[in-house]
Amino acid sequence: TILFSYLYFIKPSSTKLYLIYLILSLGFYWNIDVGLICFLSFLFTNLIVNFYNNLNKKNFLRSIFKEIYVALIIFILTSLFIYMYIGLTYGNFPTFDFLMPAQKNFLRDVTKLQISGLWILMIFIYIFSLFYSLNEFKEKQNPIDKMILFLSILGIGLFSYHANQHYSQVLALVSYP
């Protein structure tokens, strides 16, 4: 996700965009939590890019809705393909309950959240980099600022996913973006 996003931000093209959304859609079925975070991080980054690029233009809303439309269509088509493939291969169409067994535990454990030490530093770094990238993004839109924005959103999403496991070893999983 990070490599393809960087390549897309350096030289955007429709082919790269469709390929990234396809890969991110497949990632959703690999791991629903992380896949959803990656998919939404890339989508939100592109929405913010479209927001700043088309802020004073007539096609402002059209560009925003087009991005959402493209992401959803690719996700739906990928989901249909996976659904049909599993149904034709195994004779039964899948139920998607198998994707969500851990969500009930996650929501129950979030209420016991007690973050301390290095975790607070990671929160600060992600929030600071998010505001930094948004501030720099208003003035100039280079690929590095887009990448910082993407990694900030991805990091905040991954942080929220792993926050109920606030051990030092898990911090490495959260800090890689």
Side-chain angles (χ1 to χ4, degrees), residues 36-52:
L36 183 64
I37 289 169
C38 292
F39 188 89
L40 291 177
S41 298
F42 187 75
L43 176 63
F44 289 156
T45 302
N46 280 341
L47 290 176
I48 292 170
V49 169
N50 285 336
F51 176 78
Y52 281 114

Side-chain angles (χ1 to χ4, degrees), residues 8-101:
Y8 173 74
F9 293 142
I10 286 178
K11 191 174 180 182
S13 72
S14 297
T15 307
K16 288 179 187 175
L17 181 69
Y18 301 153
L19 181 64
I20 290 171
Y21 279 129
L22 175 67
I23 291 169
L24 292 173
S25 297
L26 291 171
F28 180 81
Y29 291 100
W30 169 66
N31 182 326
I32 189 171
D33 300 319
V34 176
L36 183 64
I37 289 169
C38 292
F39 188 89
L40 291 177
S41 298
F42 187 75
L43 176 63
F44 289 156
T45 302
N46 280 341
L47 290 176
I48 292 170
V49 169
N50 285 336
F51 176 78
Y52 281 114
N53 285 341
N54 301 310
L55 189 56
N56 295 322
K57 297 180 183 175
K58 284 184 176 181
N59 62 352
F60 169 69
L61 284 177
R62 183 179 299 176
S63 68
I64 299 289
F65 287 126
K66 181 183 176 192
E67 187 72 35
I68 294 171
Y69 177 76
V70 166
L72 287 178
I73 289 298
I74 292 174
F75 178 76
I76 290 169
L77 289 175
T78 304
S79 299
L80 273 171
F81 178 76
I82 291 171
Y83 188 76
M84 295 304 289
Y85 175 77
I86 291 174
L88 294 173
T89 303
Y90 298 106
N92 292 324
F93 290 105
T95 59
F96 290 105
D97 295 342
F98 71 92
L99 292 173
M100 305 239 203

